Amino acid sequence: MGRTLAEKVWEQHVVRRADGEPDLLYIDLHLIHEVTSPQAFDGLRLAGRKVRRPDLTIATEDHNVPTVLGPIADPVSKAQVETLRKNAAEFGIRLHPMGDPGQGVVHIIGPQFGLTQPGMTVVCGDSHTSTHGAFGALAFGIGTSEVEHVLATQTLPAYRPKTMAIEVSGELPFGVTAKDLILAIIAKIGTGGGQGHIVEYRGEAIRDLSMEGRMTVCNMSIEAGARAGMIAPDETTFEYLKGRRHAPSGEAWDAAVEYWKSLRTDDDAVFDTVVEIDASVLSPFVTWGTNPGQGVPLRDAIPAPGETSDPAAAQRALDYMGLSAGTPLTEIQVDTVFVGSCTNGRLEDLRAVAEVLRGRTVTARTLIVPGSMQVKADAEAEGLHEVFKAAGAEWREAGCSMCLGMNPDTLAPGERSASTSNRNFEGRQGKGGRTHLVSPAVAAASAVTGRLTAPADL
Amino acid sequence: MDAFTTHTGRAVPLRRSNVDTDQIIPAVWLKQVSRTGFEKGLFAAWREDPAFVLNDPVYEGASILVSGPDFGTGSSREHAVWALQQYGFRAVIAARFGDIFRNNSTKMGLLPIVLPAETVEALQAAIEADPAIEVTADLAAREVRWGGESAGFEIDDYTRWRLLEGLDDIGLTLRHADDVQAYENGRQRWLPTTV
């Protein structure tokens, strides 16, 4: 019987297999940031252990960093960033600190440097590590104990999850984006739908996506409960990688591409679970509740709790969000619009926002936060920042920013946002804040009208 | 890691689904660089509500959390496990767990127990009827017991052994350093390094 993409990559990384034990998997790339690593480095020091492969490890500062120029004002955030700097220096790990041209959100810089490649295993102490699966890598988030384990051994013990195919047939209609697609998938299978699985996104609509769109889809696999999401590499992948700083070159490139082309699910392979989605019927999608599965098409109204799969949770979410069943989504007023994050902080996302904002003015507070310093430079080279500023939006420095509000960019209690990030949990963007997850284009249109709006309705 | 063999204590019913790790420990608490002091941040936002179940004095000192389904979804923050343990919880029972949270728990010796939704519901009802009822989480027997009732749960042999013995994963892996070296010697030469 044939094998799935996930099975091929898994098997390629088994260091040791023994009856009744988890496989010991080799890790090709370990990404580090300031929040989930300090206790891991402390653990190494306590046990007198070293980092086995600093040359397969890279660190950046992203979660805590302010997005306005200047030092970190919060002494606790500052201490955490300084701890990462000390640890990186002590253990010999490459670090891209604030202000460095290579700095940015950890899941944006890996692909940008060409460090994320097909068939690799990639881990990070961050659940959105699934982003890197867009390249056909097996990439998943880990906790701090596992961060320490990878630092010490460059391996992880793990049981192979089940496999799930999400087959997306048809073409996405004009104006419907990768973000709308993944929000629709999560609404269909639920926040626990992918638990215990590695998802492979397949089908025409997936193949038609750009690398950046594929990263948006894989990024939110965890919101559907799956630790990892993957897409088979193809010409789009190779085109993206070619010429990047850490991509192979010359003969090595040819050898790599030959191998990468084998990284596809065999025709006779069998998935444990199959989900089918018709892309052609989708439209801009938004969330109304406090988990990412509580989403509907923007043109719809808020469902009655009794019509949902979990009425008690829906009622609780409506109470928190200050909303009532039956209200059309397009009547919901927003105070703040956030564009950015590892979900939607890349150049194409900023282009989509600029396209909507060009010649228009925002009526809500609008933060546009590039995912990395490189994204910022690229956007400015195209003049996108001028469009944002002319529209009245704030153009910021790179970081995670309002996706999780660990830096000063937060919502006030009761404040409502349209956000291109990945989680609408209670208090995620600031205590008492209310979050609606949207695509970059919907975020921009909502910034113009001050209520949830599709660009087509401007 | 602390060993977990069997634990008996009072329990607290948390009748909510999708308890994400942002609720278990809000992001502002993640700025700490130590491993201690997280109990103050456990469910910090929800605990501001006097009606929240953890504020009910009848459940004070409870050491087993019995939650609705999809407990520990979202962020990979292991701080969620540390917060639960430091507050005094030894085990969490739910019908479903977020994969990363469940994995993190087994690394730290917090026992995640999966029971069918209707069994969780029955256990929650039993606790609400008598908050003093003692619940036993028996890892050796793979069984939860309360008030004359019992329910078996599944956990793989390897994880169970590690928890029963309180073994450190890193120490176990380092025994296989030769295998890691052999694997490394055979890696493709085009694979990237960060240098």
Side-chain angles (χ1 to χ4, degrees), chain A residues 142-447:
Chain A
I142 57 179
T144 298
S145 291
E146 290 185 313
V147 169
E148 185 179 337
H149 195 283
V150 177
L151 288 171
T153 69
Q154 204 58 34
T155 65
L156 270 183
Y159 288 102
R160 202 186 74 203
K162 290 186 279 191
T163 57
M164 172 184 283
I166 297 186
E167 299 273 359
V168 190
S169 60
E171 284 180 40
L172 286 172
F174 180 77
V176 182
T177 68
K179 182 64 166 289
D180 302 306
L181 170 60
I182 188 64
L183 287 174
I185 289 171
I186 299 163
K188 182 180 170 93
I189 72 172
T191 57
Q195 270 171 22
H197 290 81
I198 299 171
V199 169
E200 183 183 336
Y201 301 96
R202 300 157 55 83
E204 181 184 0
I206 299 295
R207 284 193 299 274
D208 288 348
L209 290 174
S210 68
M211 278 318 296
E212 297 198 359
R214 294 178 187 185
M215 283 188 253
T216 299
V217 169
C218 288
N219 172 274
M220 291 189 71
S221 300
I222 185 68
E223 271 61 66
R227 222 172 159 182
M230 304 176 82
I231 294 172
D234 59 11
E235 290 302 325
T236 302
T237 321
F238 309 150
E239 185 63 29
Y240 178 97
L241 277 167
K242 195 159 194 178
R244 290 193 184 259
R245 178 170 160 190
H246 292 283
S249 58
E251 284 177 29
W253 171 263
D254 296 335
V257 169
E258 192 184 328
Y259 171 62
W260 294 344
K261 284 182 174 169
S262 74
L263 296 173
R264 52 182 296 282
T265 292
D266 297 328
D267 293 339
D268 57 343
V270 177
F271 290 91
D272 295 301
T273 312
V274 177
V275 173
E276 291 178 350
I277 303 263
D278 179 0
S280 67
V281 300
L282 296 179
S283 61
F285 217 86
V286 300
T287 61
W288 52 266
T290 55
N291 77 54
Q294 292 171 325
V296 290
L298 173 54
R299 62 179 178 223
D300 285 5
I302 296 172
E307 295 167 8
T308 68
S309 59
D310 188 344
Q315 187 56 56
R316 226 192 104 69
L318 290 181
D319 292 345
Y320 179 86
M321 294 293 286
L323 296 171
S324 312
T327 304
L329 269 298
T330 51
E331 286 180 11
I332 296 173
Q333 307 269 333
V334 297
D335 309 293
T336 292
V337 172
F338 171 64
V339 175
S341 84
C342 55
T343 310
N344 283 128
R346 286 170 288 264
L347 186 60
E348 285 176 16
D349 301 315
L350 300 183
R351 284 179 184 152
V353 170
E355 194 176 317
V356 174
L357 291 186
R358 190 168 278 116
R360 294 191 170 106
T361 307
V362 301
T363 61
R365 169 196 184 205
T366 303
L367 261 65
I368 304 180
V369 181
S372 71
M373 293 292 275
Q374 185 64 52
V375 169
K376 181 168 190 262
D378 291 346
E380 292 185 350
E382 293 183 11
L384 302 184
H385 63 311
E386 299 297 351
V387 176
F388 302 148
K389 287 179 187 170
E394 297 175 43
W395 175 237
R396 297 292 191 87
E397 303 297 312
C400 297
S401 180
M402 200 184 272
C403 175
L404 82 169
M406 279 189 78
N407 79 344
D409 305 335
T410 54
L411 296 179
E415 211 180 335
R416 187 182 301 281
S417 77
S419 177
T420 68
S421 54
N422 40 55
R423 288 186 174 140
N424 52 346
F425 297 155
E426 290 180 30
R428 172 77 177 182
Q429 297 189 290
K431 199 169 149 191
R434 296 160 167 169
T435 303
H436 296 274
L437 301 178
V438 299
S439 73
V442 169
S446 304

Side-chain angles (χ1 to χ4, degrees), chain B residues 27-40:
Chain B
V28 67
W29 288 87
L30 309 192
K31 297 180 184 184
Q32 307 298 328
V33 297
S34 70
R35 264 183 196 265
T36 54
F38 291 100
E39 68 279 8
K40 291 193 284 292

